[in-house]
């Protein structure tokens, strides 16, 4: 009987692999793509995480994504944000996931809901609430009954909430795809025989929630039917082995547009051309869903960032941390999306063939009756010429040309004709008035002032329960020796430690994202009699990945003074700082303590600083320049804008982050409260409040570049494409942000300008009237367009040279 039941259940799951129908919507899939209401779809998706921005920003972010050719907004669900204490849920403010999804629906886009509930995402504890750690017998992400109970309970709560708001496509809502778990394959082997059953259980549990839409598992090549296995990474067109069933589509759930950044590390840059190449290759190999992770990264407010991760998240995404369009990434990908959508009919229903055009060149062709689309790929690091269907084509190095009719090149991944823009900061306010600052110095606790005691070194995370980054370890000992000099040696698996002897600072040390443990070693001058050592252990975020996360340890591991091990000595502990407990970063809390006038001190101890400021004029994003500070956290009107660590420099000598986002919704017109907790010797009088804006736009287009893809149309009922206005040539287009105009032409050259928008000069061939013509066409306008041709510039003084136009302009 049990075997019969299992066979029946498997049959039901298999049916769900092909049809998800409830109410007014119909979401199915096959080996080609997701099918929405009977139509195969190629979908471009962008990750925007609701808690990493503000509700006031959501409409603009979604609108810009839509205008960039995005069809789907993808987001995780953040368990520890919604259930910080067991059974106590919070969906207010930035946590209002229903409001976020309804905004997406209002703008006509779809949603991919990545339920997790383990998400990693460079988010504290991988999105798991820390109270799970204390559930008896629990083992995270394994075939473990306590974990499965709580995971299913949370998943059901979220799904029931979505159903009650009718947000699944099966109910007429925007959610067309969900994800369970996250990159589990990378840790599955560590769980041995408890791994595979957990995967099967998670898949069955998710499908059993009956959402009426498909489920996926990323980087899980053995995802059980009907769950779709998907790819994550930068080069899924090269690395993805493909769906594990011919009846499943190829999905790319994370195409990293740059990479997350940690304190002490430089930003990883990824070019628009590189992203476009790999998207085009994935589509050429029958991929049908590509999600950009991130499309807008936003900000890790408060203590939400994982270990060592900076507040600014994926700032190099098509929409930057502040929601500003980052060019040329946004515009080049928009052109790519349009080129692929122009090819969608043969892509989705045509026969797929691949053949060689050379040693490192291939053609991927989709054809049906009269329709045909081709992707011509050059994997070589030099320009080449290839013959395709009896025509000769020029292929730039490491590029893909898209031919929606197998004849006409409408887009090449390496030819970036979209403008570049430059983000600038404009000084709004200085905080250099000593009279406007007040301070509150933390008391350095000694052993006598602690109530939590143990005869061993306690593990930090289990002691603080994620209520604070800080844990004081204190002990006392007698010193009776004519020599006052001694050595303190502290081994830590935390992130930072500050050491104090008898209330005075004697040294600090820290680890890094790559090196999880470190040692502080400092000389001490002891006094005869009783000495008090206080060690402030600091976490810069909880870990977010790896097997057996519940077993991870942090904090001090060993303490020696002059060779004597005090690790199993009586210790006194204080969780957090006094200012945290009194919430002195809020308006109410700040009025409950006695602040002192600011005084520059040479002695280091945790110190709180307070001042007020007015909102900057205009609507541009605002940011605090904390370049004069050391390490700590900042609050504006009680909202934490994140941890800062300016003193931790990269190998190039720069802070990983200097400007810290202050959303306009955090501000009021007058009297905004700014509070900083400084662990080191930061200098608050050097802080500035700046506004962020796009102040320069630059374009570089050669005569061999292509007209905008939007100039092309596919003729109904045939395989032909045509231009709305025949004979269109490549154009250089400049566009300032709204309410700004092109106020100055900084450089203009038609001919053979050298360099690019980062660094340029006039070449050997240059039209002397370049600046005059560009100024006439562009000055005083929000946007302008110039055809790249000799006719535009009144003739050709050097006909033997291929021409290009480079213009750099200022927006005001």
């Amino acid at each position: 009987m049990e075997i019969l039941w299992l066979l029946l259940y498997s049959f039901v799951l298999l049916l769900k692999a092909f049809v998800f129908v409830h109410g007014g919507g119909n979401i199915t899939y096959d080996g080609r793509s997701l099918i929405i209401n009977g139509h195969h779809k190629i979908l471009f998706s962008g990750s925007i995480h609701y808690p990493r921005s503000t509700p006031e920003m959501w409409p603009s972010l979604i609108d810009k994504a839509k205008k960039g050719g995005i069809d789907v907004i993808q987001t995780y669900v953040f368990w520890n944000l919604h259930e910080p204490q067991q059974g106590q849920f919070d969906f207010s403010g930035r946590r209002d996931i229903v409001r976020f999804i309804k905004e997406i629906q209002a703008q006509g886009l779809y949603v991919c809901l990545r339920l997790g509930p383990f998400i990693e995402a460079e988010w504290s504890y991988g999105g798991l609430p820390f109270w799970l750690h204390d559930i008896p017998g629990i083992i995270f992400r394994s075939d473990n009954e306590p974990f499965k109970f709580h995971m299913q309970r949370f998943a059901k709560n979220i799904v029931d909430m979505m159903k009650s708001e009718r947000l699944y496509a099966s109910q007429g809502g925007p959610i067309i795809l969900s994800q369970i778990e996250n990159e589990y394959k990378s840790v599955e082997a560590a769980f041995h025989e408890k791994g595979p059953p957990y995967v099967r259980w998670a898949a069955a549990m998710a499908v059993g929630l009956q959402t009426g839409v498909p489920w996926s598992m990323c980087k899980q090549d053995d995802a059980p039917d009907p769950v779709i296995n998907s790819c994550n990474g930068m080069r899924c067109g090269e690395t993805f082995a493909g769906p594990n069933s011919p009846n499943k589509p190829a999905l790319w759930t994370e195409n990293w547009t740059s990479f997350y950044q940690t304190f002490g590390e430089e930003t990883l840059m990824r070019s628009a051309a590189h992203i476009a190449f790999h998207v085009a290759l994935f589509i050429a190999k029958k991929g049908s869903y590509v999600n950009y992770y991130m499309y807008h990264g936003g900000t890790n407010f408060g203590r939400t960032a994982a270990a060592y991760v900076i507040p600014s998240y994926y700032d190099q995404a098509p929409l930057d941390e502040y929601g500003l369009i980052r060019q040329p990434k946004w515009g080049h990908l928009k052109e790519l999306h349009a080129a692929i959508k122009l090819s969608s009919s043969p892509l989705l229903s045509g026969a797929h063939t691949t053949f060689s055009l050379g040693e490192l060149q291939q053609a991927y062709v989709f054809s049906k009756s009269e329709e045909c689309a081709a992707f011509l790929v050059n994997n070589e690091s030099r320009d080449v010429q290839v013959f395709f269907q009896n025509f000769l084509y020029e292929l730039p190095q490491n590029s893909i040309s898209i031919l929606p009719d197998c004849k006409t090149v409408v887009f090449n991944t390496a030819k970036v004709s979209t403008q570049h823009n430059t983000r600038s900061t404009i000084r709004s306010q200085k905080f250099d008035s000593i009279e406007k600052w007040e301070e509150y110095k933390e008391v350095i606790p000694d052993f006598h002032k602690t109530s939590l005691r143990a005869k061993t070194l306690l593990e930090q995370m289990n002691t603080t329960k994620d209520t604070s980054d800080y844990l004081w370890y204190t002990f006392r000992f007698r010193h009776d020796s004519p020599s006052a000099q001694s050595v303190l040696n502290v081994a830590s698996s935390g992130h930072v430690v500050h050491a104090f002897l008898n209330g005075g600072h004697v040294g600090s040390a820290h680890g890094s994202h790559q090196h999880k443990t470190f040692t502080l070693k400092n000389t001490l001058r002891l006094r005869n009699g009783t000495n008090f050592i206080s060690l402030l252990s600091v976490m810069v975020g909880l870990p977010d990945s790896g097997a057996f996360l519940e077993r991870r340890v942090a904090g001090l591991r060993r303490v020696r003074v002059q060779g004597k091990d005090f690790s199993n000595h009586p210790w006194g502990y204080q969780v957090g700082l006094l200012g945290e407990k009194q919430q002195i970063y809020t308006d109410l809390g700040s009025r409950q303590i006695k602040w002192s006038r600011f005084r520059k001190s040479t002695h280091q101890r945790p110190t709180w600083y307070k001042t007020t400021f007015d909102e900057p004029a205009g609507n541009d994003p605002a940011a605090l320049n904390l370049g004069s500070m050391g390490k700590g956290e900042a609050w504006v009107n009680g909202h934490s804008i994140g941890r800062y660590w300016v003193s931790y420099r990269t190998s190039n000598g720069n802070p990983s982050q200097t400007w810290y986002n202050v959303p306009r919704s955090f501000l009021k017109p007058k009297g905004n409260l700014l509070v900083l907790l400084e662990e080191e010797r930061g200098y608050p009088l050097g802080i500035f409040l700046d506004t962020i804006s796009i102040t320069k736009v630059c374009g570089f287009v050669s005569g061999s570049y292509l007209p905008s893809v939007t100039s092309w149309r596919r003729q109904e009922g045939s395989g032909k494409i045509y231009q709305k206005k025949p004979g269109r040539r490549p154009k250089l287009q400049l566009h300032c942000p709204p309410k700004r105009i092109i106020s100055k032409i900084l450089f203009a050259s038609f001919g053979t300008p050298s360099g690019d928008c980062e660094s340029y000069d006039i070449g050997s061939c240059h039209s002397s009237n370049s600046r005059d013509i560009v100024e006439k066409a562009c000055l005083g306008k929000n946007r302008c367009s110039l055809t790249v041709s000799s006719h535009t510039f009144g003739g050709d003084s050097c006909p033997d040279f291929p021409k290009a136009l480079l213009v750099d302009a200022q927006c005001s």
Side-chain angles (χ1 to χ4, degrees), residues 613-810:
F613 66 96
D614 295 338
E615 181 179 13
N619 297 310
D620 287 335
L624 282 168
N625 180 333
L626 300 181
S628 65
M629 302 303 290
K631 180 187 179 302
E633 189 173 349
W635 290 261
V636 173
N637 293 329
H639 300 278
S640 172
I641 61 173
R643 304 178 180 99
Y644 64 85
W645 197 352
V646 180
S647 63
Y648 189 2
R649 301 299 174 111
T650 70
S651 57
N652 293 329
N654 303 311
S656 294
Q657 184 173 349
T658 301
W659 282 269
Y660 291 78
N661 181 23
V662 183
R664 287 280 179 167
S665 59
F666 287 6
L667 299 176
K668 53 189 180 182
K670 301 284 185 181
N672 294 283
L673 176 66
L674 171 61
V675 175
L676 301 107
L677 167 61
E678 172 62 35
E679 298 172 26
E680 300 177 343
R681 296 177 183 174
Y683 184 60
L685 273 67
I687 293 173
F688 301 99
L689 180 66
D690 296 337
T691 56
I692 313 295
S693 60
I694 303 300
T695 55
K696 287 207 309 178
V697 291
C698 175
F700 177 80
V701 178
S702 80
S704 65
Y705 279 27
L706 302 162
S708 172
V709 179
T710 58
S711 68
W712 292 94
R713 292 288 184 271
R714 180 174 288 279
Q715 188 172 319
E716 291 292 332
S718 77
K720 298 179 180 179
I721 65 169
Y722 64 94
Q723 284 186 299
K724 289 185 292 184
K725 294 182 179 180
R728 281 199 169 186
R729 299 178 61 85
K731 290 184 177 181
L732 185 147
Q733 301 183 66
L734 299 178
H735 182 198
C736 288
K739 300 181 181 180
R740 283 181 167 79
I741 60 168
I742 297 170
S743 57
K744 186 177 182 180
I745 302 302
L746 303 171
F747 178 87
S749 177
F750 175 74
T752 58
S754 62
D756 53 27
C757 282
E758 297 294 324
S759 176
Y760 47 71
D761 203 351
I762 291 172
S764 58
C765 174
H766 168 69
S767 176
S768 59
N769 59 358
S770 297
R771 181 182 292 272
D772 292 340
I773 290 172
V774 171
E775 287 181 342
K776 184 176 180 181
C778 298
L779 285 181
K781 298 177 181 178
N782 173 257
R783 64 177 69 201
C784 64
S785 175
L786 294 115
T787 301
V788 182
S789 71
S790 299
H791 177 74
T792 302
F793 289 88
D796 189 350
S797 59
C798 38
D800 295 332
F801 291 91
K803 304 301 186 297
L805 175 61
L806 197 158
V807 178
D808 194 13
Q810 183 173 298

Side-chain angles (χ1 to χ4, degrees), residues 15-16 18 38 89 97 254 388 452 537 547 550 576 583 636 693 714 765:
L15 283 178
K16 289 176 180 290
F18 300 105
F89 291 90
I97 185 173
E254 288 189 19
F388 173 67
L452 176 61
S537 180
E550 73 283 354
Q583 296 186 338
V636 173
S693 60
R714 180 174 288 279
C765 174

Side-chain angles (χ1 to χ4, degrees), residues 205-241:
M205 183 272 289
V207 173
L209 294 172
Q210 297 184 337
T211 63
V213 303
W215 288 86
S216 68
M217 279 184 166
C218 62
K219 297 182 76 172
Q220 192 69 36
D221 54 15
D222 60 350
D225 290 341
V227 177
I228 305 165
N229 61 301
S230 64
C231 184
N232 287 1
M234 288 189 179
R235 306 196 318 273
C236 282
E238 297 173 350
T239 61
F240 188 40

Side-chain angles (χ1 to χ4, degrees), residues 280-538:
L281 184 62
F282 186 73
I283 298 295
K285 293 185 175 182
K286 298 184 69 175
S288 59
Y289 176 98
V290 177
N291 175 72
Y292 298 104
Y293 190 98
M294 300 290 294
Y295 200 78
H296 164 72
T299 305
N300 293 311
F301 295 110
R303 298 171 50 250
T304 59
Y308 290 101
V309 174
I310 68 174
S312 180
Y313 192 62
Y314 276 79
D315 183 42
Q316 295 296 317
L319 301 179
D320 71 11
E321 179 182 7
Y322 307 97
L324 301 175
I325 289 174
R326 184 175 290 284
Q327 297 282 34
K329 199 169 283 185
W330 183 88
H332 194 53
L333 295 178
K334 177 181 179 178
E335 287 279 289
L336 169 68
H337 303 154
I340 291 171
K341 291 296 180 74
L342 192 61
S343 314
S344 60
S345 179
L347 283 177
L348 290 168
S349 56
H352 182 245
T353 56
T354 306
F355 52 90
S356 174
L357 300 175
E359 186 176 351
L360 293 172
Q361 292 77 36
Q362 301 86 32
Y364 296 88
V365 182
F366 299 80
S367 56
K368 68 165 190 176
S369 60
E370 294 184 358
E371 295 186 328
C372 180
F375 293 72
L376 308 186
V377 181
N378 178 17
N379 285 302
E380 204 163 345
S381 297
R382 66 182 182 90
D383 299 352
V384 298
Q385 292 182 329
V386 297
F387 275 98
F388 173 67
Q389 294 192 353
N390 299 319
F391 286 93
L392 185 66
Y393 292 89
E394 299 271 353
L395 294 180
Q397 62 177 328
N398 301 119
S399 74
I400 299 177
S401 286
I402 299 177
L403 292 66
D405 60 354
C406 284
K407 295 179 181 178
T408 311
V409 177
V410 302
F411 181 85
N412 180 272
T413 59
K415 295 183 176 181
V416 182
S417 57
T418 303
Q419 72 175 21
H420 294 62
N421 60 19
T422 301
R423 188 176 74 186
S424 300
T425 59
I426 299 173
R427 186 74 23 95
S428 173
Q429 294 179 46
K430 296 180 180 180
F431 291 84
D432 57 351
S433 173
I434 194 169
E435 291 80 13
K436 292 185 177 180
W437 282 101
E438 295 178 282
E439 66 179 27
Y440 172 77
K441 292 188 179 296
E442 281 282 329
V443 175
I444 308 299
D446 61 31
F447 184 82
H448 292 309
K449 297 174 183 175
T450 59
S451 57
L452 176 61
R453 302 286 174 85
K455 291 187 177 181
T456 187
L457 293 171
L458 297 180
E459 194 279 320
Q460 183 163 350
M461 291 185 289
N462 192 41
T463 306
T464 62
K465 306 296 184 187
D466 194 28
T467 59
S468 173
D469 286 346
Y470 302 97
L471 179 63
W472 284 101
Y473 292 73
T474 70
F475 73 102
R476 60 187 176 183
F477 64 97
R478 284 193 62 81
H479 175 73
D480 296 305
S481 169
S483 173
Q485 189 162 304
S486 187
V487 176
L488 171 67
N489 190 299
V490 180
S492 176
S493 57
H495 301 148
V496 181
V497 66
H498 302 295
F500 298 84
L501 172 65
N502 299 321
H505 180 256
V506 291
S508 296
H510 65 82
S512 69
H513 188 245
Q514 291 79 20
H515 301 97
K516 308 301 182 187
T517 61
F518 65 95
T519 300
L520 178 149
K521 189 174 182 180
N522 275 88
T523 300
L524 303 179
R525 291 193 62 82
L526 301 175
R527 65 190 181 193
N528 279 330
T530 301
N531 287 268
F532 295 90
I533 288 183
S534 303
L535 303 169
L536 181 59
S537 180
V538 186

